[in-house]
Amino acid sequence: MKNTVYNFNQYLFLLFLFVVLIPLTVFFHYVDTYIGYSTKIIAPMMVAVLLVCHALIAFFMLLRYLHRRKRFYLAALSAAYGVSACYLLYQLLSYPGVFSAQAIIPGELNDIGINLFFRSMLVALIFLVAMILYRKKYVVEKHSPVMVVMLMAVGILMTVLAWLYSSHYPPLSLTLISGDGRYDGLWRNGSGYILGGVWLITSLLVLYYSHVKNAFWLAISLTCVAHVGSLAMLHGSNTSVNSLACYFARVFEMASAFLVMLVLLYDIFHVHQNTLKKYLDSYESAMRDPLTLLYNRRYFLDALKGRLEHFSQHGAPFAVIVADIDMFKRFNDLYGHIKGDEVIRYVAYTMMHSLGEADVSARLGGEEFCAIIEARDMQEAYAIADRLRLNVGNDKASGFDGTLPESVAISIGVYLVEGAGETMEQCLEKADIAMYAAKRTGRNRVVVYDDVLMRKEEKNQAPSPA
């Protein structure tokens, strides 16, 4: 199954590479296409949208790292997108002309180009570091503080250089975009080739180490090759900041950012679903008896309390039954505790298949069981309890997957709740009195609690043995 997923992701990557990226790169390399002023305002909008996307990706990537602390490469990738978002914010705030195509002057264009160059270079270098961390996990555990300091140092150094080269320190100058808005300087001084080489190496490392094994690495791989393709589109002395090639280069970066964000959002949703499932499983385990998978005593008492509150408001009668396995000590003494547990499992299995879906079955402890059943009167409550008793005695037709050493019988006490103001302790006690009355009168029978039975039981305080 995993190999199939790997192949599918690799096919998607190759499809994007050969059907979308390479044809468009070749087309814009040879075709010099300009766009009109009415479309130029899209550029600052793209920068703003990219800023929001990269900031969100950095945040989501950090969340993913905090969820999986040993994957330090996620922290590096988060840093890469965070740095990119900071550069984009600096671009928007520092150059007012970026908001209006008419207001951009030639000096600003080159400064913006320098800002974009250093942003792209720093992101590529951090991606490289992230892939090394992904490959050399043991290095991270030993030298993670050193790695953090090195990443911070590189980020600060690149930021300072970008600021100095952006017309702030005359001895340092770098021309990437000429006065007429062409990218000829990017290639004449070799900066474009260096940046393209770094992104190409990063792309190859991502492909080699990750094998594009899931949607996350597919998105990261497409991001890397999108940067390579974007630079390839800008190659040549005739490519202008107002050309369609320039805008498509930005579109590729935006598309890759959207893809990474979607993958991270899905991952967060998946983590949430898994966490919720684990919580529900844990909650279910906490309210179930581990041997029988019936509800435990605590859940039963909470359910009985809720049912009594419902009865006080709506007046719908119901019954409480308490059942006890007859002569259970004999099973343990003759056949051992393993077979005794098998008998308990059998009675629980029969209860689950004999009572209704709205009824609540539970194991009180030991060989004693209880249930809340829907019953309108004593006759219906008795019929339901007696059906359970008969089903327990008919083990051959039960469908139980275990083996019983001999037939099993149970004694059942039933109490119909008809009057308001009773507590759950009183309900259980009266059903328990009826169950012990069934034991005293011969076992393997059902006894319903009433006032006559209560007076008889007052004369017999001590319950009989199993």
Side-chain angles (χ1 to χ4, degrees):
M1 181 65 182
K2 286 186 177 180
N3 289 334
T4 304
V5 175
Y6 293 172
N7 292 336
F8 178 71
N9 290 326
Q10 290 163 0
Y11 290 150
L12 281 180
F13 175 79
L14 293 174
L15 184 68
F16 171 79
L17 188 64
F18 289 107
V19 177
V20 180
L21 187 63
I22 293 178
L24 284 176
T25 302
V26 173
F27 174 79
F28 288 120
H29 182 73
Y30 291 105
V31 178
D32 189 17
T33 309
Y34 289 85
I35 58 175
Y37 167 71
S38 60
T39 321
K40 291 177 184 178
I41 196 64
I42 297 174
M45 291 174 59
M46 284 182 171
V47 174
V49 171
L50 198 60
L51 164 63
V52 173
C53 286
H54 282 199
L56 288 174
I57 291 170
F59 176 70
F60 292 146
M61 201 82 76
L62 184 62
L63 287 181
R64 184 168 179 164
Y65 164 68
L66 293 175
H67 180 68
R68 302 161 181 172
R69 288 297 184 94
K70 290 187 177 180
R71 302 183 181 184
F72 197 72
Y73 64 90
L74 292 172
L77 291 173
S78 174
Y81 282 101
V83 164
S84 177
C86 291
Y87 269 78
L88 291 166
L89 181 62
Y90 176 75
Q91 178 182 335
L92 288 175
L93 297 179
S94 299
Y95 307 110
V98 82
F99 292 103
S100 171
Q102 279 185 327
I104 296 178
I105 59 176
E108 284 183 346
L109 276 178
N110 188 59
D111 287 349
I112 290 173
I114 291 171
N115 181 284
L116 292 175
F117 172 79
F118 278 96
R119 175 178 73 87
S120 186
M121 179 64 77
L122 184 54
V123 170
L125 291 175
I126 299 177
F127 267 51
L128 266 175
V129 173
M131 292 318 300
I132 294 171
L133 297 177
Y134 176 72
R135 182 66 174 176
K136 306 289 184 181
K137 296 181 177 66
Y138 65 90
V139 175
V140 179
E141 295 177 3
K142 291 180 63 178
H143 307 292
S144 56
V146 178
M147 299 273 183
V148 172
V149 173
M150 287 177 61
L151 277 175
M152 290 178 64
V154 171
I156 293 171
L157 176 62
M158 295 289 286
T159 304
V160 170
L161 287 174
W163 187 82
L164 291 174
Y165 275 107
S166 300
S167 304
H168 291 100
Y169 187 63
L172 293 178
S173 62
L174 181 64
T175 303
L176 300 180
I177 303 176
S178 60
D180 59 354
R182 298 187 180 276
Y183 282 95
D184 49 357
L186 181 65
W187 306 105
R188 192 184 306 118
N189 58 29
S191 302
Y193 295 108
I194 294 172
L195 182 59
V198 173
W199 271 114
L200 183 60
I201 293 170
T202 304
S203 302
L204 293 175
L205 278 179
V206 170
L207 292 171
Y208 180 74
Y209 286 150
S210 72
H211 304 292
V212 200
K213 63 183 181 182
N214 53 36
F216 175 77
W217 287 115
L218 173 63
I220 297 297
S221 302
L222 291 177
T223 298
C224 294
V225 297
H227 278 87
V228 176
S230 298
L231 284 167
M233 286 184 186
L234 300 178
H235 185 266
S237 59
N238 292 324
T239 307
S240 165
V241 292
N242 295 325
S243 66
L244 200 57
C246 179
Y247 281 85
F248 260 93
R250 293 174 180 175
V251 167
F252 272 154
E253 187 175 7
M254 284 183 57
S256 63
F258 274 118
L259 181 60
V260 174
M261 193 165 61
L262 286 174
V263 169
L264 290 173
L265 284 172
Y266 172 78
D267 185 69
I268 291 172
F269 173 76
H270 186 64
V271 169
H272 170 72
Q273 290 295 99
N274 285 342
T275 304
L276 180 61
K277 184 178 182 302
K278 288 178 181 178
Y279 168 77
L280 292 176
D281 290 344
S282 175
Y283 176 74
E284 186 74 12
S285 299
M287 63 185 184
R288 294 280 182 181
D289 173 63
L291 177 63
T292 63
L293 299 183
L294 292 177
Y295 289 114
N296 56 26
R297 182 188 185 94
R298 179 179 178 182
Y299 180 86
F300 177 81
L301 293 176
D302 288 342
L304 181 56
K305 181 180 178 182
R307 193 66 179 80
L308 286 169
E309 291 174 355
H310 182 268
F311 172 77
S312 65
Q313 295 174 2
H314 302 283
F318 67 97
V320 177
I321 66 173
V322 172
D324 190 90
I325 302 174
D326 293 334
M327 310 298 291
F328 180 72
K329 186 175 182 299
R330 178 173 170 276
F331 282 101
N332 280 336
D333 292 343
L334 289 179
Y335 306 107
H337 290 281
I338 300 297
K339 286 297 180 184
D341 288 347
E342 197 76 354
V343 170
I344 290 174
R345 285 183 58 243
Y346 165 71
V347 174
Y349 173 86
T350 308
M351 282 191 75
M352 284 190 286
H353 289 80
S354 299
L355 301 181
E357 290 184 3
D359 300 334
V360 179
S361 306
R363 181 188 178 197
L364 283 178
E367 70 273 23
E368 197 168 23
F369 301 84
C370 56
I372 302 169
I373 60 174
E374 299 292 331
R376 290 164 294 184
D377 50 40
M378 284 190 181
Q379 289 75 19
E380 185 178 5
Y382 179 89
I384 293 171
D386 198 51
R387 183 180 66 210
L388 169 62
R389 180 187 67 83
L390 293 173
N391 289 344
V392 168
N394 188 18
D395 59 280
K396 303 298 182 184
S398 68
F400 180 62
D401 58 358
T403 55
L404 299 174
E406 58 182 78
S407 296
V408 180
I410 58 172
S411 298
I412 303 177
V414 181
Y415 173 65
L416 183 70
V417 181
E418 294 179 297
E422 293 193 84
T423 65
M424 56 184 179
E425 290 83 3
Q426 290 172 334
C427 295
L428 266 180
E429 182 184 9
K430 291 175 180 179
D432 208 43
I433 289 173
M435 184 271 293
Y436 278 114
K439 292 276 190 184
R440 288 194 183 93
T441 53
R443 301 186 180 90
N444 191 20
R445 62 189 61 203
V446 175
V447 172
V448 177
Y449 181 91
D450 56 18
D451 293 335
V452 176
L453 178 63
M454 182 183 70
R455 287 192 292 271
K456 288 182 180 178
E457 287 301 311
E458 284 175 353
K459 301 175 183 178
N460 236 332
Q461 292 296 325
S464 65

